């Protein structure tokens, strides 16, 4: 059964501007690798867009998170708090440092880390020590919180920051899905010590693969550049003063990033329109719920996702109709390598969001007609199976 001539993808790259021109410039001039004007320009544009003082490009979002955690002082044996409902890279970046993630359940409305659970965990299960706070049970240090701005939405970051301050915790924001999301006048990623973005192919802008660390701290920015470029400490000699990483973004890809940044305002507008159309055309449908946003939060609406108690039927029905839809991530506590880790929860909300969550086509090159067609197909599947 095919109603449409071509499949409707979930979220695909939209290369509609100066990408060819800037890549060609790299190829023509030979500036394809580690250094070049496009890396600097991509970093400058990102700092300007977010309002952060500094931006450091990386090879992907996961490496940005890894370096940011390291710079936040997260050490082997520490704990780091993060939401249970996230993409695996958030938890993996913590594991790379030798620290251990502690998973906090999701808020049923916002689908972000549940700050009530976070607060009661901090007040009931931790103690203050000379080193900062430690887990009451075993005396191991808790060093940081990693809020993840799931689907470009934000939790109450003021409350999260004041909890972090009260307990002396560093904040590294996984803002990989939140380029173009704001809370009041502040951009996602600028609340914590550092924030990280991703330019993977399915994100709101893409470089094929890429990432960025933003911060207001000059020394941290300098250290981030140093650690992502093998910690080379001399411009001539191969002298390296610590164990660094080869995590830099190459100029060729940064050229794509500069072109994509020029398109970002348009992309955000289109994604917000997709979401508004989905909400408008599906709000009357029984058994469908939407993600809520706090007052003052303007999400980028990167990937429109709804909840339905008939998620399985919708997934297979849409698949038959060549409309690409996806379930939410399997929550971290259900993955084999994290199943034995601490999971702070009362009602396993992440499990329910996983069972009911359905992401719908959200690319920035969709038309109104296609979004409405997806809505009509959803209604038809729910009515007739
Ligand atoms: C995309 C994403 C990442 C990782 O970014 P990569 O660029 O793919 O390494 C991390 N966390 C979340 C929540 C993501 O969606």
């Amino acid at each position: 059964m095919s109603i449409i001539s071509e499949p409707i993808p979930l979220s695909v790259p939209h290369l509609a501007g100066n990408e060819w021109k800037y890549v060609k410039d790299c190829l023509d001039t030979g500036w394809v690798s580690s250094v070049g004007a496009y890396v600097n320009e991509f970093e400058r544009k990102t700092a300007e867009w977010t309002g952060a003082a500094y931006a450091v490009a990386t090879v992907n979002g996961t490496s940005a998170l890894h370096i940011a955690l390291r710079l936040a002082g997260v050490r082997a044996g520490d704990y780091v708090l993060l939401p249970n409902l996230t993409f695996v890279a958030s938890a993996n970046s913590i594991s790379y440092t030798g620290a251990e993630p502690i998973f906090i359940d999701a808020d049923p409305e916002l689908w972000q880390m549940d700050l009530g659970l976070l607060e009661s965990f901090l007040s009931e299960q931790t103690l203050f020590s000379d080193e900062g706070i430690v887990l009451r049970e075993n005396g191991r240090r808790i060093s940081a919180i990693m809020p993840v701005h799931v689907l470009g939405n934000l939790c109450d970051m003021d409350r999260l920051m004041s909890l972090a301050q009260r307990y002396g915790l560093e904040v590294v924001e996984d803002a990989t899905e939140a380029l173009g999301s704001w809370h009041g006048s502040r951009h996602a990623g600028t609340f914590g010590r550092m924030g990280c973005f991703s330019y993977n192919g399915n994100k709101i802008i893409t470089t094929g693969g890429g990432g960025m660390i933003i911060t207001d701290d000059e020394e941290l920015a300098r250290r981030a550049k140093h650690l992502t470029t093998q910690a080379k400490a001399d411009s001539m000699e191969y002298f390296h003063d610590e164990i660094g990483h080869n995590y830099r973004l190459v100029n060729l890809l940064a050229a794509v990033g500069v072109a994509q940044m020029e398109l970002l305002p348009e992309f955000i507008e289109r994604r917000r329109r997709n979401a508004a159309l989905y909400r408008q055309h599906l709000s009357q449908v029984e058994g469908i719920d939407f993600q809520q946003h706090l007052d003052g939060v303007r999400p980028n609406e990167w990937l429109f996702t709804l909840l339905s108690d008939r998620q399985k039927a919708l997934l297979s029905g849409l698949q038959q109709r060549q409309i690409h839809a996806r379930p939410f991530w399997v929550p971290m506590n259900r993955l084999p390598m994290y199943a034995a880790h601490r999971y702070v929860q009362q009602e396993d909300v992440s499990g329910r969001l996983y069972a009911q969550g359905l992401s719908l086509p959200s690319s920035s090159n969709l038309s109104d007609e296609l979004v409405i067609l997806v809505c009509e197909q959803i209604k038809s599947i729910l009515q007739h199976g």
Side-chain angles (χ1 to χ4, degrees):
M1 177 176 20
S2 180
I3 298 122
I4 50 174
S5 52
E6 273 177 61
I8 306 180
L10 192 71
S11 177
V12 286
H14 185 186
L15 305 162
N18 287 317
E19 290 84 359
W20 270 112
K21 186 174 156 201
Y22 298 161
V23 167
K24 183 171 186 306
D25 182 37
C26 291
L27 298 176
D28 288 344
T29 58
W31 288 97
V32 293
S33 193
S34 343
V35 287
Y38 288 106
V39 174
N40 300 339
E41 182 60 7
F42 191 28
E43 293 174 341
R44 194 194 61 74
K45 273 184 141 33
T46 306
E48 182 184 83
W49 171 267
T50 57
Y54 305 93
V56 176
T58 63
V59 68
N60 52 44
T62 311
S63 60
L65 290 168
H66 179 197
I67 293 299
L69 288 166
R70 203 177 141 179
L71 290 176
V74 173
R75 301 189 304 246
D78 286 355
Y79 289 113
V80 175
L81 307 168
L82 82 163
N84 187 47
L85 187 69
T86 186
F87 179 58
V88 69
S90 322
N92 286 349
S93 67
I94 293 167
S95 302
Y96 300 158
T97 66
E100 198 176 297
I102 293 180
F103 302 110
I104 312 285
D105 199 9
D107 171 307
E109 264 90 46
L110 305 175
W111 312 350
Q112 313 295 303
M113 189 188 312
D114 184 326
L115 298 187
L117 278 180
L118 174 69
E119 180 158 13
S120 52
F121 169 81
L122 288 170
S123 74
E124 289 157 22
Q125 300 198 42
T126 69
L127 291 171
F128 284 91
S129 82
D130 298 343
E131 283 205 297
I133 63 160
V134 297
L135 196 64
R136 204 178 271 267
E137 190 183 314
N138 57 16
R140 269 168 66 184
R141 189 169 86 120
I142 302 171
S143 48
I145 310 178
M146 179 189 281
V148 180
H149 305 311
V150 175
L151 301 170
N153 195 9
L154 287 102
C155 67
D156 180 351
M157 283 303 290
D158 292 338
R159 181 172 173 202
L160 185 139
M161 291 309 296
S162 77
L163 282 172
Q165 198 169 24
R166 192 183 324 153
Y167 289 92
L169 296 168
E170 290 284 351
V171 174
V172 171
E173 293 175 66
D174 181 341
T176 48
E177 303 184 352
L179 187 66
S181 295
W182 305 80
H183 190 173
S185 59
R186 294 184 74 168
H187 195 283
T190 63
F191 294 86
R193 178 84 70 188
M194 282 160 285
C196 301
F197 297 112
S198 163
Y199 310 109
N200 187 38
N202 61 352
K203 298 297 202 286
I204 194 157
I205 67 167
T206 185
T207 56
M212 192 76 75
I213 300 170
I214 58 169
T215 182
D216 283 337
D217 186 317
E218 183 178 3
E219 177 59 12
L220 284 177
R222 195 192 59 73
R223 295 267 302 132
K225 191 53 109 177
H226 189 60
L227 286 178
T228 52
T229 53
Q230 301 283 31
K232 191 163 180 283
D234 188 285
S235 59
M236 185 64 78
E237 293 237 34
Y238 289 97
F239 181 75
H240 307 261
D241 58 3
E242 59 189 312
I243 298 176
H245 300 265
N246 181 11
Y247 277 178
R248 74 214 195 288
L249 185 74
V250 295
N251 201 49
L252 196 60
L253 296 181
V256 178
V258 171
Q260 290 268 289
M261 280 304 284
E262 294 169 354
L263 299 169
L264 180 58
E266 242 177 80
F267 287 2
I268 295 167
E269 206 178 305
R270 182 64 232 181
R271 298 220 182 209
R272 287 186 179 153
R273 173 138 185 92
N274 292 342
L277 284 170
Y278 277 127
R279 283 173 188 264
Q280 182 192 333
H281 288 267
L282 296 173
S283 62
Q284 305 304 321
V285 181
E286 211 182 315
I288 286 185
D289 284 314
F290 302 122
Q291 187 183 35
Q292 307 295 309
H293 308 130
L294 293 173
D295 284 346
V297 169
R298 277 179 301 139
N300 62 2
E301 302 282 12
W302 162 63
L303 187 66
F304 187 79
T305 302
L306 53 74
L307 300 182
S308 165
D309 45 12
R310 298 191 50 207
Q311 180 228 41
K312 293 275 177 302
L314 284 172
L315 270 172
S316 66
L318 289 169
Q319 194 183 351
Q320 277 171 27
R321 288 162 172 79
Q322 301 215 64
I323 296 169
H324 294 183
R326 288 282 176 281
F328 237 138
W329 310 291
V330 176
M332 295 303 104
N333 71 303
R334 299 192 189 188
L335 300 180
M337 62 286 193
Y338 294 124
H341 288 50
R342 282 177 183 69
Y343 170 30
V344 179
Q345 57 94 26
Q346 278 170 345
E347 295 168 7
D348 190 27
V349 172
S350 10
R352 182 166 66 78
L353 295 174
Y354 164 60
Q356 300 190 344
L358 182 77
S359 300
L360 297 175
S362 301
S363 304
S364 33
N365 53 4
L366 276 182
S367 62
D368 287 10
E369 290 70 29
L370 284 182
V371 177
I372 292 167
L373 184 143
V374 174
C375 295
E376 295 310 321
Q377 294 309 311
I378 287 173
K379 289 181 200 166
S380 148
I381 294 164
L382 289 177
Q383 269 170 24
H384 316 293

